[in-house]
C-alpha cells in the first residue's frame, strides 16, 4: 500500500534571514556578461554545427524518407508549380535539429548549414520565416561569404494570394513560387491536363452553284411530296 505524499506547510519551513545575500549580486556588475547582444554580436559556430536546412530542388525525388524519420513531425511534403516531385517543407517551431532527415536522404538533396541566427521583430508576418522550403546550398554559402554572420538566409517571406510565396533573400534577390498542395499524392492542380480531342465534323453535301434545293410540294389533301425537277 502506497503512503500518501506529505507536503510540508510553509509555516514549518525555517527561513534564515540574511543581510549579506541581497548585496552579493553587486559583484556581477564588474564581470563580463555571459549573454551576447543579438544580432549586433556574433559567435563562431562549432565545426559541422547542425543549423538551418538546405535543399537542392533538382536532386530531390520526393521520396518522403525525411518526413518519415523526423521524430518531431516537422517536415511536410509540398507540391510546387513546375516541379515534378514534392519537396520537404520544414517547420522550425517543431524541428529539433537532429538532422536525421539529412542522414537518410538517398540523393543528398537535403543538407544543413552552419546558420543558426533567426531573430524577428515580433510581428505576425515574421512567423512565416519559421516554416519554409529550404533553398539551394550554393546560395546559402554565397550569403555566408558575403555577410559572415550565420543568420537566416531569408530576410522576409511574403505570402500572396492563390498560394504564391516570395522569398526576399538578404542580398535583395527574390525567389517566387506557387504552392499547389501538400502530401505525397499530387493535388488536382498539379496533375497534367489531358489534351483536348479535336472535334471532327461530318462532311456535308455541297450544293452546286446556281442549283436550288428541291422544296416539297403540298397536295390538296395536305400531304407533301418531293418536287421533281
Amino acid at each position: 500500500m502506497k503512503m500518501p505524499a506529505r507536503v510540508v506547510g510553509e509555516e514549518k519551513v525555517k527561513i534564515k534571514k540574511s543581510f549579506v545575500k541581497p548585496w552579493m549580486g553587486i559583484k556581477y556588475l564588474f564581470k563580463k556578461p555571459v549573454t551576447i547582444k543579438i544580432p549586433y554580436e556574433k559567435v563562431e559556430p562549432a565545426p559541422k554545427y547542425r543549423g538551418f536546412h538546405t535543399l537542392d530542388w533538382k536532386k530531390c525525388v520526393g521520396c518522403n524518407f525525411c518526413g518519415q524519420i523526423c521524430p518531431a513531425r516537422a517536415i511536410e511534403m509540398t507540391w510546387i508549380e513546375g516541379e515534378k516531385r514534392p519537396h520537404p517543407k520544414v517547420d522550425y517551431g517543431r524541428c529539433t535539429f537532429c538532422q536525421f532527415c539529412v542522414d537518410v536522404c538517398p540523393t543528398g538533396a537535403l543538407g544543413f548549414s552552419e546558420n543558426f541566427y533567426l531573430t524577428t521583430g515580433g510581428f505576425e508576418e515574421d512567423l512565416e520565416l519559421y516554416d519554409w522550403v529550404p533553398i539551394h546550398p550554393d546560395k546559402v554559402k554565397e550569403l555566408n561569404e558575403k555577410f559572415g554572420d550565420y543568420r537566416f538566409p531569408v530576410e522576409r517571406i511574403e505570402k500572396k494570394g492563390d498560394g504564391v510565396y516570395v522569398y526576399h533573400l538578404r542580398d535583395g534577390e527574390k525567389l517566387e513560387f506557387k504552392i499547389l498542395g501538400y502530401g505525397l499524392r499530387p493535388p488536382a492542380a498539379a496533375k497534367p491536363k489531358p489534351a483536348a480531342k479535336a472535334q471532327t465534323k461530318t462532311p456535308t453535301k455541297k450544293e452546286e452553284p446556281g442549283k436550288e434545293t428541291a422544296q416539297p410540294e403540298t397536295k390538296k389533301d395536305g400531304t407533301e411530296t418531293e418536287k421533281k425537277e
Side-chain angles (χ1 to χ4, degrees), residues 17 21-22 27 46 76 96 137 144 180-181 188 203 210 213 226:
K17 296 182 179 181
K21 287 183 178 180
K27 64 180 180 180
E76 186 175 24
T96 60
N144 286 344
L180 302 176
T213 309
E226 187 177 354

Side-chain angles (χ1 to χ4, degrees), residues 2-224:
K2 293 183 179 180
M3 297 295 294
R6 297 180 62 185
V7 180
V8 179
E10 293 183 0
E11 67 278 359
K12 296 184 179 181
V13 178
K14 295 181 180 180
I15 301 176
K16 295 182 179 180
K17 296 182 179 181
S18 174
F19 296 98
V20 181
K21 287 183 178 180
W23 300 96
M24 292 179 65
I26 297 178
K27 64 180 180 180
Y28 294 102
L29 294 175
F30 306 99
K31 289 187 176 182
K32 187 178 179 180
V34 179
T35 57
I36 61 174
K37 297 179 180 179
I38 298 175
Y40 306 105
E41 297 181 18
K42 66 175 183 178
V43 293
E44 292 294 326
K48 298 182 180 180
Y49 180 83
R50 300 192 296 260
F52 300 123
H53 296 78
T54 61
L55 180 67
D56 189 340
W57 291 17
K58 293 183 179 180
K59 289 184 179 179
C60 180
V61 294
C63 62
N64 194 35
F65 283 1
C66 53
Q68 291 178 355
I69 201 172
C70 179
R73 296 294 182 265
I75 294 178
E76 186 175 24
M77 301 308 291
T78 307
W79 288 88
I80 299 174
E81 188 177 41
E83 297 291 319
K84 296 181 180 179
R85 301 289 182 181
H87 299 324
K89 189 177 185 183
V90 184
D91 183 0
Y92 288 127
R94 290 173 168 265
C95 179
T96 60
F97 296 92
C98 64
Q99 303 298 348
F100 287 169
C101 54
V102 177
D103 295 337
V104 79
C105 183
T107 61
L110 194 62
F112 63 89
S113 64
E114 294 179 348
N115 299 50
F116 62 95
Y117 280 108
L118 179 53
T119 57
T120 66
F123 301 102
E124 187 175 354
E125 57 268 18
D126 293 338
L127 296 176
E128 295 289 343
L129 293 170
Y130 291 86
D131 191 14
W132 78 320
V133 180
I135 61 177
H136 200 280
D138 292 345
K139 188 60 183 180
V140 177
K141 185 178 179 181
E142 178 186 334
L143 294 173
N144 286 344
E145 292 176 353
K146 183 176 182 179
F147 297 99
D149 52 6
Y150 303 102
R151 294 187 66 181
F152 196 64
V154 181
E155 194 174 44
R156 182 169 61 94
I157 294 181
E158 181 184 358
K159 185 178 180 181
K160 296 184 178 181
D162 201 20
V164 177
Y165 286 78
V166 182
Y167 286 3
H168 295 264
L169 305 184
R170 298 186 62 195
D171 59 353
E173 187 177 338
K174 295 181 182 179
L175 176 62
E176 184 173 342
F177 57 91
K178 183 178 180 179
I179 294 179
L180 302 176
Y182 301 95
L184 291 178
R185 295 183 178 181
K191 294 179 180 178
K193 296 181 180 179
K197 295 182 179 179
Q199 294 182 357
T200 56
K201 294 183 179 180
T202 55
T204 57
K205 187 178 180 181
K206 293 184 179 179
E207 298 178 0
E208 296 181 6
K211 191 175 182 181
E212 296 181 356
T213 309
Q215 298 294 333
E217 273 187 355
T218 307
K219 292 183 177 182
K220 292 181 180 180
D221 57 359
T223 60
E224 295 182 352

